[in-house]
Amino acid sequence: QKSFYHQSHWSKAKAVPPPIFASNGAPSGAGAGARRSDAVLQLDRQLRGVETVSALMSLVTPSALPHFDVGNVVVAFTAAARVVEERTLSTLRFGYPAWNSLLARVRECVPCLEPRGLAMVAHSA
């Protein structure tokens, strides 16, 4: 019998980052253990790739925002923190009607965020 201290006794850590949100109870309606769709993963990649406020807000529109899952909401919010500068902050509030809707969605999603997602939102706020 192998020793309790032998490394084969313990499971190996996954090579993926921890989750952003708990899928059970998520506002997107995904059930426990549900896999995110390819469409929302593609949207994550698009949101991460934006370099300007206008590019970000062309993805975060009033018609698109209701289809965002929790992960998309967190990624959009963190992308905003990356592309918005002090001088363009007021532009978000008054120039883009979806900005306040995104903030409301962030508040709705907080209860189902995992520590990593909470840290991402807190760092971006």
Side-chain angles (χ1 to χ4, degrees):
Q1 179 177 352
K2 290 185 180 177
S3 166
F4 179 72
Y5 295 102
H6 191 271
Q7 75 181 46
S8 66
H9 183 74
W10 303 98
S11 63
K12 301 285 184 206
K14 294 180 183 177
V16 296
I20 293 175
F21 64 95
S23 58
N24 56 343
S28 65
R35 184 181 178 280
R36 294 177 75 205
S37 73
D38 290 337
V40 297
L41 293 173
Q42 175 63 26
L43 181 57
D44 277 356
R45 288 188 286 277
Q46 290 175 321
L47 290 166
R48 286 186 178 108
V50 298
E51 296 181 11
T52 64
V53 173
S54 60
L56 172 65
M57 297 313 289
S58 71
L59 295 171
V60 182
T61 62
S63 61
L65 198 53
H67 303 289
F68 280 28
D69 75 348
V70 178
N72 296 144
V73 171
V74 171
V75 172
F77 189 68
T78 58
R82 184 173 41 82
V83 298
V84 172
E85 300 170 2
E86 282 285 328
R87 58 190 165 93
T88 57
L89 187 57
S90 62
T91 306
L92 268 179
R93 280 189 178 157
F94 304 109
Y96 298 99
W99 176 247
N100 288 330
S101 299
L102 177 62
L103 293 179
R105 286 290 307 273
V106 169
R107 285 190 295 272
E108 289 173 12
C109 294
V110 167
C112 63
L113 293 178
E114 292 288 339
R116 177 175 170 233
L118 285 170
M120 290 171 70
V121 168
H123 180 74
S124 301

